[in-house]
Amino acid sequence: IVYQPVRHADGTVIGIFAQGHDVTEQVRAVQSLKEADRRKDEFLATLAHELRNPLAPIRQAVALAKSPRLDADRRTWALDVIERQSSQMALLLEDLLDVSRISRGHLELRLQPVRLQDVMASAVETAKPLFDRKRHRLDVALPPQPVELSADPLRLAQVLTNLLSNAAKYTNDGGHIEFGAACEGAQVVITVRDDGIGLAPEAQAHVFEMFSQVTPAIERSEGGLGIGLALSRGLVELHGGSIAVRSAGAGQGSEFIVSLPRLVAQDAPAQVDASPQHPAVTPRSVLIADDNRDGLESLAA
């Protein structure tokens, strides 16, 4: 608010003029930027922690494997540790790269006709060890008839696996998770419902944003960068679908809903002859280029 006096010709003050400017949106924008900056700092701290975690066992296992006194069984164990921990690091980095590709519009799907039941079964198989470890009960409800989608099977399975894994992580041991799908007109609706920690209303509004993690979820995350839901939303939207969340509140469980367009008969592409071909094998020369000398020489070997 800006005030100034209104004067008579002789200079006496006869009133006051007030001019107001609504700065609500400006203030909110500044607050939003500060909040995004805070979440980014928290994310970078989490990233450093999660990438450093696998490095310690990898370095220790390498030191053990180089020991001349190590027997064959312990050397095999050391190599298994290196493989397991490096795979975990690779998964973290792939998630980061995927989010970056989506935000820049550089991620391309390999669309093909797929059966929803097959993708759901793949997601259940991947998440099953976590469910077994936490003694959860998983109920799966599939549509009675085959449902066809035009989708990238690996990317869609990645989305569903992430939702199942989150449900398992953020539900107390011995919990109950429901995983189902149903056709609604031209859409298929996939749901993952749990009786876990739930989400407060203010958390539901931001759960799919980059760098966003809810405090109770961080405490149970069991590793990870907290970008899985942002990545899932991006992948679902690339498939022409949408993802949403519902929760009655903290401690009341959560339900994630994925809606995707079905592939109806007239939309199905013509089938291509996929019979295997066996061309004659001829020797090839392969050029390997890498700016990392260790990467170059190990790949050549």
Side-chain angles (χ1 to χ4, degrees):
I1 305 285
V2 178
Y3 297 96
Q4 66 184 62
V6 178
R7 301 181 182 276
H8 192 271
D10 62 5
T12 58
V13 176
I14 59 172
I16 189 165
F17 172 79
Q19 182 179 13
H21 300 272
D22 185 355
V23 296
T24 304
E25 291 305 315
Q26 178 183 342
V27 171
R28 285 176 178 167
V30 170
Q31 291 173 338
S32 178
L33 287 172
K34 288 180 178 178
E35 176 64 17
D37 193 54
R38 183 189 64 78
R39 292 202 307 265
K40 182 191 68 175
D41 289 343
E42 290 180 354
F43 170 78
L44 290 175
T46 303
L47 173 61
H49 176 75
E50 292 298 334
L51 291 180
R52 187 178 59 185
N53 267 352
L55 280 179
I58 288 173
R59 295 174 69 179
Q60 291 155 9
V62 168
L64 286 171
K66 291 169 68 175
S67 171
R69 298 187 300 274
L70 202 66
D71 59 48
D73 288 344
R74 293 294 285 175
R75 183 168 282 107
T76 299
W77 170 84
L79 292 175
D80 287 343
V81 168
I82 294 169
E83 180 180 30
R84 187 164 54 250
Q85 295 297 322
S86 60
S87 295
Q88 173 68 15
M89 185 178 289
L91 288 174
L92 295 175
L93 293 174
E94 280 301 319
D95 278 356
L96 274 176
L97 289 172
D98 283 345
V99 169
S100 175
R101 293 184 190 115
I102 290 173
S103 65
R104 292 181 290 123
H106 289 175
L107 191 144
E108 295 183 5
L109 301 178
R110 298 179 179 179
L111 297 176
Q112 62 188 72
V114 297
R115 281 203 341 151
L116 174 64
Q117 286 86 343
D118 294 338
V119 179
M120 291 178 68
S122 174
V124 169
E125 181 181 10
T126 304
K128 189 175 185 301
L130 182 56
F131 278 80
D132 291 343
R133 179 164 61 84
K134 300 200 71 175
R135 304 187 306 280
H136 291 321
R137 188 179 94 223
L138 175 63
D139 290 336
V140 181
L142 298 175
Q145 301 298 326
V147 177
E148 295 284 327
L149 304 171
S150 177
D152 184 324
L154 293 178
R155 293 300 189 177
L156 185 53
Q158 182 180 359
V159 171
L160 300 183
T161 299
N162 179 58
L163 296 180
L164 286 173
S165 298
N166 278 354
K169 289 177 183 177
Y170 304 131
T171 299
N172 291 330
D173 290 5
H176 179 211
I177 289 93
E178 299 175 44
F179 183 35
C183 294
E184 298 182 3
Q187 299 280 312
V188 60
V189 178
I190 308 163
T191 56
V192 177
R193 185 184 298 112
D194 63 63
D195 55 2
I197 64 173
L199 288 166
E202 60 272 16
Q204 296 176 44
H206 302 289
V207 73
F208 295 107
E209 293 179 2
M210 188 64 174
F211 309 138
S212 179
Q213 274 190 298
V214 183
T215 300
I218 295 174
E219 295 166 357
R220 295 168 175 250
S221 65
E222 302 181 18
L225 302 176
I227 61 176
L229 288 176
L231 175 57
S232 295
R233 181 181 66 176
L235 291 173
V236 168
E237 290 177 350
L238 284 176
H239 280 88
S242 63
I243 185 170
V245 63
R246 285 198 292 253
S247 177
Q252 302 297 310
S254 304
E255 180 181 21
F256 286 84
I257 307 103
V258 175
S259 299
L260 294 167
R262 296 169 58 194
L263 185 65
V264 294
Q266 60 265 30
D267 294 336
Q271 294 296 314
V272 178
D273 181 14
S275 56
Q277 303 295 320
H278 299 285
V281 177
T282 56
R284 300 288 184 184
S285 295
V286 179
L287 172 66
I288 303 175
D290 200 313
D291 55 4
N292 184 315
R293 188 172 187 85
D294 287 340
L296 184 74
E297 293 178 351
S298 61
L299 181 57

